[in-house]
Amino acid sequence: MDNERLNRTPAKDARSEVANVDACGPSVEERRRIALEGDTHGKNKWAILFTVLVMTFMSTLDSSIVNVALPVMQKALAVSLSDIQWVSTVYLVAICASMLIFGRLGDMFGKVWLFQAGVALFAIGSLLCGLSHAFAMLLVSRCVQGIGAAAAMANNMGIITESFPAKERGRALGLLASFVALGMMCGPVLGGVIVSSLPWEYIFLINVPVGVACFAAGLKTLPHVRPDRRGIKFDLPGACALVPALVLLLCSITFMGEGASLKIAGMLLAGLLLMALFVRIELHAEQPLARLSVFSSLTFNINVLATLISFIAIGASEIILPFYFQDAHGFSPSLSGFLFAVIPLVNIVVGPLSGSLSDRVGSHIPTCVGLFIYSLGLAAVGFLNEDSSLLVIIAAVALMSLGTSTFQSPNNSLFMSAAPLDALGFVGSLSGLSQNMGMALGISGGMAILYGKMGEAAGRPVAGYVAGRPDIFFYGYRWALMSVAALVAVGFVLCLVRARRARR
């Protein structure tokens, strides 16, 4: 799993682009030792993992717990349905826009220091959200909360990769993936309990004591070691181009779900131009914000594409399935929630097993098998109809989750093992950005295909389920699910190419 990083020559190593940093940092032999054995700087590696997992659970919990409370918050704040959706959207935008920056800062100042700062800022943002009684203040507070989550999430994989030896890294990253799933599963359930018995503000206030406890535990369990920063500079021009580029691109993607318009096209074009400017700045920067040299490896590019593809499929399937459960099949919201719980429950069991397997046989085979199963599972879900039994639905959803659970843990390990040791923060943040961008693309793209094909079947524009015409819904439903199944099949082929290159 780590041979590719250990055997690359200095000329091809992404670390070589900042020679003066390497001169001050660890020797090549020390880098090889850390890559194989890990380095906890005297701390317990399992205590480090537990602290990171708690924050990961808290941040993913908060991304899903809000959705259940949106109707209650809409009435309490007296805003429209389209406006209240920004409570969720602005959190995602803040994370994506700042994640790469925090990854670079983690490489400069220490991943643990940035992680701890993220935990503290997330807790402060949660407190501000709970104290917000105006819609504008709530959105600003959610931005603060998202920035804190980005600082922590951009460095969590890097901390784990540095702390665990290569033979245990897949298992540790598998546990990280499982806690992401656990947070997603507990969010809707816990949110429903809170808003049914307490004011909506408590869905945010619940994070405050957990954040304080996580921060305090981090002071004891995490290795607070600062890297040598002599001669290192922060790429401010690159950051000034990247942040507005990502904000414009993500907002335009979000608005695309409402249909195309000149305003959306203008936002998209401006975002693309700023992104092109960012790339130009990075190519000429003495110490760039983004380590673009890592993209010179086809294997690494496949890692990014595979992650993006898998989360596009996750975003599309998870936004479309509720319409099938409740509108087409007539299940109650509580039963629909139970069916959705199958996805993270399978992930909790399979994720660590897949990670442990990748430690023994390598990561390439599990990623290929995972995407193959995931494609079959998406196709099986796409063939469901209004007469499908509960057992058949659970089996199809479980097969889909089995595929993505088998894939994610070893793919995370491949992602991080391909990173230079002094760029773990950047690569970890790039992984998080790929995941969040994939979710955004999957949500907007999935709904566009669903309603576009439903309108084609109905002979008129359609923006919702047509009562008494399940055939219209299932025409769009199957198109959407089969499209993402085909996309995942493309990812499977890419992983086969990656595995063949690794064998050679």
Side-chain angles (χ1 to χ4, degrees):
M1 177 173 61
D2 293 294
N3 289 339
E4 180 180 348
R5 183 177 71 197
L6 297 178
N7 294 331
R8 58 162 80 93
T9 61
K12 294 182 180 180
D13 196 310
R15 294 188 298 257
S16 63
E17 65 184 38
V18 189
N20 61 333
V21 178
D22 289 345
C24 300
S27 65
V28 174
E29 292 75 14
E30 181 67 10
R31 293 177 187 275
R32 289 175 180 269
R33 185 193 67 79
I34 295 174
L36 283 176
E37 302 175 8
D39 191 354
T40 63
H41 300 280
K43 302 292 185 178
N44 184 286
K45 62 186 177 183
W46 297 110
I48 294 172
L49 178 63
F50 176 77
T51 304
V52 172
L53 292 181
V54 170
M55 178 58 195
T56 300
F57 171 80
M58 187 168 62
S59 59
T60 53
L61 175 78
D62 211 72
S63 65
S64 60
I65 195 174
V66 172
N67 295 335
V68 178
L70 288 181
V72 177
M73 296 167 64
Q74 178 194 357
K75 296 176 182 177
L77 297 171
V79 296
S80 66
L81 182 61
S82 59
D83 286 340
I84 200 64
Q85 295 295 329
W86 280 98
V87 175
S88 295
T89 303
V90 76
Y91 182 75
L92 176 65
V93 170
I95 290 176
C96 290
S98 57
M99 187 168 284
L100 287 181
I101 291 175
F102 285 122
R104 173 59 176 160
L105 291 175
D107 290 331
M108 291 176 60
F109 297 99
K111 283 171 276 296
V112 168
W113 294 93
L114 265 293
F115 179 86
Q116 285 286 84
V119 172
L121 192 59
F122 183 87
I124 292 171
S126 299
L127 178 62
L128 293 175
C129 287
L131 298 177
S132 298
H133 299 293
F135 184 64
M137 181 180 176
L138 178 60
L139 293 183
V140 172
S141 302
R142 283 288 278 174
C143 282
V144 174
Q145 197 181 33
I147 292 172
M153 293 167 63
N155 292 283
N156 58 4
M157 292 176 68
I159 293 172
I160 293 174
T161 302
E162 283 186 339
S163 302
F164 278 79
K167 62 182 181 180
E168 296 178 342
R169 198 169 294 148
R171 180 184 177 190
L173 292 172
L175 286 170
L176 181 68
S178 296
F179 267 68
V180 171
L182 186 63
M184 293 173 62
M185 179 185 71
C186 294
V189 177
L190 184 59
V193 172
I194 291 176
V195 297
S196 63
S197 56
L198 296 169
W200 62 265
E201 290 87 349
Y202 281 87
I203 64 172
F204 301 111
L205 295 176
I206 192 175
N207 294 321
V208 178
V210 179
V212 172
C214 182
F215 182 84
L219 295 176
K220 295 290 185 180
T221 61
L222 299 179
H224 290 73
V225 178
R226 292 189 183 274
D228 193 327
R229 295 189 287 110
R230 285 176 292 176
I232 299 180
K233 300 177 182 178
F234 181 72
D235 180 18
L236 184 60
C240 291
L242 177 65
V243 172
L246 289 175
V247 169
L248 287 169
L249 289 173
L250 282 169
C251 289
S252 61
I253 290 171
T254 302
F255 284 130
M256 281 180 187
E258 303 174 5
S261 69
L262 188 60
K263 175 184 176 181
I264 296 174
M267 292 176 61
L268 183 61
L269 178 61
L272 291 173
L273 290 174
L274 282 171
M275 187 58 70
L277 175 62
F278 168 71
V279 173
R280 181 178 176 82
I281 292 172
E282 298 306 283
L283 290 175
H284 295 86
E286 180 183 356
Q287 296 184 22
L289 175 67
R291 304 292 291 271
L292 297 183
S293 58
V294 299
F295 294 104
S296 62
S297 166
L298 177 62
T299 299
F300 185 81
N301 293 336
I302 291 176
N303 293 344
V304 177
L305 284 174
T307 301
L308 184 69
I309 286 172
S310 67
F311 276 85
I312 287 175
I314 290 172
S317 59
E318 292 191 358
I319 195 67
I320 292 173
L321 275 176
F323 294 95
Y324 166 69
F325 291 152
Q326 298 183 43
D327 292 333
H329 213 296
F331 291 143
S332 65
S334 58
L335 182 55
S336 298
F338 165 76
L339 293 173
F340 258 110
V342 172
I343 297 174
L345 283 174
V346 172
N347 203 321
I348 289 170
V349 176
V350 176
L353 294 177
S354 177
S356 297
L357 178 64
S358 69
D359 289 332
R360 298 178 181 179
V361 304
S363 298
H364 291 286
I365 293 176
T367 54
C368 292
V369 172
L371 284 189
F372 180 75
I373 296 174
Y374 191 25
S375 182
L376 292 179
L378 287 165
V381 171
F383 277 111
L384 296 174
N385 56 48
E386 66 268 35
D387 297 321
S388 298
S389 67
L390 195 61
L391 186 60
V392 170
I393 294 173
I394 291 175
V397 172
L399 180 65
M400 183 177 68
S401 183
L402 174 64
T404 186
S405 303
T406 304
F407 166 78
Q408 292 297 343
S409 299
N411 189 68
N412 285 347
S413 186
L414 277 175
F415 211 116
M416 297 306 295
S417 66
L421 287 176
D422 61 342
L424 289 176
F426 167 68
V427 175
S429 62
L430 182 63
S431 175
L433 179 61
S434 300
Q435 295 173 13
N436 286 283
M437 286 287 286
M439 288 286 289
L441 287 170
I443 291 171
S444 59
M447 295 304 291
I449 296 174
L450 175 65
Y451 285 133
K453 289 299 179 180
M454 285 176 64
E456 182 180 307
R460 58 181 175 81
V462 173
Y465 186 82
V466 181
R469 293 295 305 273
D471 57 306
I472 292 177
F473 171 78
F474 280 107
Y475 182 75
Y477 171 80
R478 290 198 174 93
W479 260 99
L481 268 297
M482 294 305 168
S483 295
V484 293
L487 182 62
V488 171
V490 172
F492 164 69
V493 174
L494 290 174
C495 286
L496 286 178
V497 173
R498 180 177 65 185
R500 184 174 181 179
R501 285 176 58 87
R503 284 197 300 270
R504 295 214 309 253

